[in-house]
């Protein structure tokens, strides 16, 4: 997904990230990172409403201070 995002192919990037989110177990340590990538891709694509909805429906608000983005 990151490779597509670097090429500004946001649709394909989101598809990859969402597919990963569906396939990864709900308690996996990388799940929060995938949720962030979906949020950030919407933001960079200037889809602000989708970015807000993604953030609000994710666990990003509960991210620990050790989360790399913070």
């Amino acid at each position: 997904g990151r490779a597509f995002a670097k090429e500004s192919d946001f649709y394909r990037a989101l598809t990859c990230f969402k597919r990963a989110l569906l396939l990864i177990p709900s308690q996996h340590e990388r799940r929060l990172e995938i949720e962030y990538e979906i949020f950030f891709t919407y933001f960079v694509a200037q889809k602000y409403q989708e970015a807000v909805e993604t953030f609000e429906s994710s666990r990003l608000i509960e991210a620990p201070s050790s989360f790399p983005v913070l």
Side-chain angles (χ1 to χ4, degrees):
R2 288 180 181 162
F4 291 125
K6 286 180 183 178
E7 296 174 0
S8 297
D9 190 349
F10 302 122
Y11 177 79
R12 289 172 77 185
L14 286 166
T15 302
C16 287
F17 293 134
K18 287 182 177 185
R19 184 179 304 137
L21 200 59
L22 290 174
L23 295 175
I24 199 166
S26 62
Q27 298 303 319
H28 196 278
E29 59 198 36
R30 305 276 311 255
R31 188 173 181 87
L32 200 58
E33 183 180 336
I34 296 168
E35 289 177 346
Y36 172 77
E37 293 290 351
I38 293 170
F39 159 75
F40 189 68
T41 302
Y42 274 129
F43 182 79
V44 172
Q46 299 179 352
K47 303 269 186 193
Y48 302 119
Q49 184 62 40
E50 289 87 346
V52 169
E53 290 170 2
T54 299
F55 182 82
E56 289 176 345
S57 67
S58 72
R59 294 182 305 150
L60 289 171
I61 195 109
E62 305 166 0
S65 59
S66 62
F67 187 57
V69 176
L70 298 178

